[in-house]
Amino acid sequence: MNNFETFIESTGISFFYFKLLLGFFFSFLITYLAIPTIIKISRRKNLMDEPGARSSHLRKIPNLGGIAIFFSLGVCAPIFAYELFDRYKFLFASFIILFFVGVMDDIMVLRAYKKLLAQILVSALLVIGSDVRIRSLFGLFGVYEINYYVSILFSILTFIILINAFNLIDGIDGLAGSYSVVTSALFGVSFFRLGNHNDPLVILCAIIIAASLGFLIYNLSNKRSSKIFMGDTGSMILGFLLAFTGISFIEIFIAKRDDVFYHLQSAPVIAVAILILPIIDTLTVIITRIYHKKSILSPDKNHIHHKLLNLGLTHKRSTAYIIAYFLLIVTVAYFLRHFDINLLLVFIMILGFLGAYLPILLLKFKKD
C-alpha cells in the first residue's frame, strides 16, 4: 500500500470506492466536455457521416464521437484501473491501434480487409501476449478444458466477431451507447460480487459506463447542432472492451480462487446472454442474407433495429424496446443459471431469435 493509498484509507474512505467514484466522474466529464469541440471541428472540416443505403438518418451528422470515448477511456483507465495494465501488458497498445484504425475509417473509409487485419492484430496481442483467452467451455457441447492452440484461435475469433457484431448494432440513436452502459453494469456488478481481486475490472466497467453516458447525452439530443455518432472508432473500442470483460468474466470461474464464493458452471452461457444482442443480430442478418442468396458481406437493412423502424417506431423507442427485451433474456438466464448448461444455451438462443424475428411477424400482421 503506497503513501497516498494509506492516507485515503486513514480518512475512513475505501481506496477502491475513491478510485471508482473519481474514475466515473472524470470519465463522464472528459467525454461530455470533449464532444462539443469534436462536433465543431467535424462541421468545420466536413467530417460527417453521409446518409447511405443502410443509414437510418436523412442528414449529415458528425461521426467522430468515438474520439471522445477513447480520450476518456485512455486517460481514466490507466489512472484509476492501472492494475489492469500491469496484468495485461498489451491492453493499452490494443487501445491505440483500434483508435488509429477507427479514426482512419471514420474519415477516409478503409477497406474491410485492413480493418480485419487490425482486429486480428489487437486480438492476437491480447490473447497471446496477455493470455486473455477462453480456456474452458465448462461442459458446453461436452467440451471442458480447451487445447492451448485451439483456445488461442477460438479466443481471437471471439474478439473479432464481437468487435464487428457490436459495430453492426450501431445503427440507430442510443442503441450502442445504451447497450454499453447496461452490459458494463451487468459485468461490473458481477465482478464486484466475485471478489476484491476484480476491483480493477469493476472500475473499468464504471469508466465505460460514464464515457457512454457522456456520449449518449449528445447522441440522443433532439438538436441537430448537438448530435453526434460514435463511428467505427467508438464501436470498435467498445466492442473490444465488451469482449475483454466477457472473457474475463468466464476466466474468474476457471481460476477458482479462494475469494470467489461459488463456482458457476453456466458462466459461458451467462456471458453469451449478456452479449446476446450483437450475437443474435449478426446471426439473424447472416441467415437472412443466405436465405435470399446474397453475400453475407452485402449491406442491407435486415438488422433488428431496422425492423423496429419499419414498424413505425422512433429511434428512441426502438432502442428502449431492444434494451428491455435484452434485459429480459439476461434476467431469465440469471434465474436459470443452475440449469444444464447446454439446455440453458438452447433456451437463451431461442429467446434471442424470437426477439429478432418478432418484429417481422408483427410487420406482416400489420400489413395484412
Side-chain angles (χ1 to χ4, degrees):
M1 187 179 290
N2 59 40
N3 292 334
F4 182 67
E5 184 176 347
T6 304
F7 169 73
I8 294 297
E9 294 282 357
S10 69
T11 64
I13 301 171
S14 164
F15 193 58
F16 162 69
Y17 288 112
F18 176 78
K19 291 190 293 181
L20 181 72
L21 293 174
L22 280 186
F24 184 91
F25 174 75
F26 281 110
S27 179
F28 176 84
L29 193 66
I30 290 170
T31 308
Y32 182 76
L33 294 179
I35 286 180
T37 302
I38 293 171
I39 292 175
K40 188 182 297 183
I41 294 172
S42 296
R43 292 190 177 280
R44 188 177 298 166
K45 300 295 183 180
N46 197 32
L47 302 174
M48 315 279 273
D49 180 63
E50 300 278 352
R54 289 180 57 226
S55 178
S56 301
H57 297 81
L58 302 175
R59 298 186 180 93
K60 294 194 294 185
I61 304 290
N63 67 334
L64 294 176
I67 294 177
I69 294 172
F70 166 80
F71 184 32
S72 175
L73 293 170
V75 170
C76 294
I79 293 175
F80 299 106
Y82 54 84
E83 298 94 337
L84 285 178
F85 297 88
D86 290 332
R87 192 183 305 169
Y88 307 113
K89 303 296 184 185
F90 295 97
L91 184 57
F92 195 75
S94 300
F95 256 37
I96 299 295
I97 294 169
L98 283 177
F99 169 70
F100 177 76
V101 173
V103 170
M104 291 286 287
D105 189 48
D106 287 331
I107 294 175
M108 301 171 55
V109 185
L110 293 177
R111 291 187 177 181
Y113 80 90
K114 292 183 178 179
K115 286 197 292 183
L116 180 60
L117 287 175
Q119 291 165 9
I120 292 171
L121 174 60
V122 298
S123 301
L125 281 174
L126 213 58
V127 172
I128 300 172
S130 296
D131 204 32
V132 179
R133 57 190 175 87
I134 302 170
R135 305 163 193 270
S136 171
L137 291 185
F138 294 66
L140 190 63
F141 309 119
V143 178
Y144 287 88
E145 186 174 351
I146 306 174
N147 173 272
Y148 175 73
Y149 297 104
V150 174
S151 171
I152 285 176
L153 291 175
F154 181 55
S155 301
I156 289 174
L157 187 62
T158 299
F159 267 105
I160 294 169
I161 289 172
L162 287 174
I163 290 170
N164 287 286
F166 185 86
N167 177 257
L168 292 176
I169 69 168
D170 184 27
I172 58 174
D173 296 342
L175 183 55
S178 298
Y179 181 70
S180 294
V181 169
V182 177
T183 304
S184 297
L186 291 168
F187 278 130
V189 170
S190 300
F191 291 137
F192 179 77
R193 294 182 63 213
L194 291 168
N196 294 335
H197 61 276
N198 298 311
D199 286 354
L201 286 166
V202 177
I203 294 171
L204 175 64
C205 288
I207 290 169
I208 295 171
I209 292 169
S212 300
L213 288 173
F215 164 77
L216 280 171
I217 290 175
Y218 297 96
N219 184 233
L220 292 172
S221 174
N222 292 322
K223 295 181 180 179
R224 187 186 169 195
S225 59
S226 300
K227 200 168 198 67
I228 193 168
F229 300 152
M230 68 170 63
D232 274 10
T233 307
S235 64
M236 284 204 296
I237 288 172
L238 289 175
F240 171 77
L241 286 175
L242 291 181
F244 169 71
T245 51
I247 292 175
S248 298
F249 172 78
I250 298 171
E251 172 71 8
I252 290 171
F253 299 98
I254 296 173
K256 295 183 180 178
R257 296 181 178 90
D258 292 335
D259 52 351
V260 175
F261 62 86
Y262 75 104
H263 176 69
L264 185 62
Q265 188 68 27
S266 61
V269 179
I270 298 299
V272 168
I274 295 175
L275 298 169
I276 194 73
L277 177 56
I279 293 171
I280 286 294
D281 186 60
T282 302
L283 288 175
T284 303
V285 168
I286 290 173
I287 291 169
T288 303
R289 289 172 185 172
I290 291 174
Y291 177 78
H292 291 290
K293 297 179 180 179
K294 293 182 179 179
S295 167
I296 61 171
L297 301 176
S298 61
D300 55 32
K301 288 191 174 184
N302 286 314
H303 295 280
I304 297 171
H305 53 266
H306 288 133
K307 296 165 187 173
L308 289 170
L309 293 178
N310 291 338
L311 284 171
L313 299 181
T314 63
H315 282 223
K316 291 178 182 178
R317 284 191 176 182
S318 297
T319 291
Y321 285 138
I322 291 172
I323 296 297
Y325 191 81
F326 157 70
L327 285 173
L328 171 66
I329 293 176
V330 174
T331 302
V332 169
Y334 176 77
F335 282 109
L336 300 180
R337 64 191 182 280
H338 297 302
F339 271 40
D340 176 82
I341 187 171
N342 290 285
L343 290 177
L344 182 58
L345 177 63
V346 171
F347 188 57
I348 292 303
M349 294 302 288
I350 288 172
L351 281 178
F353 280 115
L354 180 63
Y357 284 104
L358 188 59
I360 298 176
L361 297 175
L362 291 175
L363 186 62
K364 287 183 178 180
F365 180 76
K366 187 177 179 181
K367 288 180 179 179
D368 293 340

